[in-house]
Amino acid sequence: MNRLEKVTEYILYLFLISLCCFKGMINTFGGLFVLTSGVLIYKLPNKKEFFEKYKLEMIFVGIYLLGIILEYFSIENAKAYKFLYKSFYFLMTPGLLYFFEKEEFRKKAVYLISFSLLIGIVESFRQFAIIYKYNYNSNIRVESFFDIMRWGSALQMGLLLILPFLRKNIYFWIVFLLGIPSLILNNSRGPWLAFTICFIIYIGYLLLYKKRIRTLILLGVIVTGLAVTGVQRYPKEFKRFVERANSIKNLENNYSNLGRTFMWKENILFMKDSLKDNKRAFFFGVGCDNRTTIGEYVVQKDSWKNAHSRAKGAFSFSDAHNMYIHTFVRKGVIYGTLFWGYMIYYILKRLKDRLYLEDKYILGSLLSTISFFICGIFYGYIFTFDTFIFYIIFLLGVNYNYELFSYKENNKKIVEENL
């Protein structure tokens, strides 16, 4: 390993440790990694083969670069630089793929991400103790180094990443078991729903594909034991937790739900009206950090007065409360169609090409990615720090050791033939 590769590797270590807890360091070490890994890839003797191998992933870099250009045609073109640094994680793609090729580094990456997650979990407990005096109710929202919704999103993605690694690993069990109460204290229903759905998917995988009955029984005993203990020791808190979870379907008097659905509707209507009255906004977006244009569009409507009263002001003109709508409104239909269209194509192709059910890294990455997309229904966080976490975990699932799998499959066939 040459000196540049070693330096780049240590920069990536620091970036991964910062991923769930130090936003400023994410920018610092992420930017350094883009520079050093760029030089490293450029100096590769086989860089042509490298880019050919990862040509599908390199298209994400191309879409990002196109996004920078399109931002200058948006309504808020004076702040086009904000898209550049809010989404620069795409420039990390070549360097990340270079290191994630190595099995030993992927292992280190999962440990470093989980360690970063653990730091964030401890900070959330500290805030719960100091700010809320250990008093849980359905109204508190315990955050960490990230704000409320971003922390819930990052936390559940990290927990799902390590879920396939829990077997015979005490460290991951500690992180996971500490992370669950932190997720509960966060009181964000989107992450709760995303985590629950993906956890059920994983249980189905163990039951139907792996047929690990004993593992499921052990897991069931642990979950049941923790749940029963929690209900017996904290009955009032458990009742509040259930009420909070059930409120996700309340569209009559839950102001958070009312505000969210109102903003979905108004952002969609804005896109519809822009096609007729403001084609620049329709094709190129209002700008990734523009709240004025949407605000002026909404507050002049009669529906705003009634909604503002019912939802108690639970609105955000800088956030469509939906990642998919948010992308199209902020970046326009050209970028939105290219990005999400290619994302769907890429994932479907990878699921077809990769034997992901045999690899813990790919399985953890897949669960975490699915949860990110579920959370995106409720949060417009495509240009925030937790997107960095998503993309790093997402790329963890790109590589696969075909030789190892072929070896296992051949041995399995030999055993079956001899039975």
Side-chain angles (χ1 to χ4, degrees), residues 27 64 68 79-89 288-289 383 385 388:
N27 281 333
Y64 164 71
I68 296 174
K79 295 183 179 179
Y81 65 91
K82 290 198 173 184
F83 173 76
L84 188 149
Y85 77 80
K86 286 189 174 186
S87 299
F88 82 82
Y89 54 83
C288 72
D289 202 39
F383 307 120
F385 281 105
F388 279 71

Side-chain angles (χ1 to χ4, degrees), residues 208-219:
L208 301 175
Y209 184 79
K210 284 294 187 179
K211 302 188 186 303
R212 288 182 179 164
I213 307 301
R214 285 185 295 179
T215 302
L216 282 175
I217 292 174
L218 176 61
L219 187 62

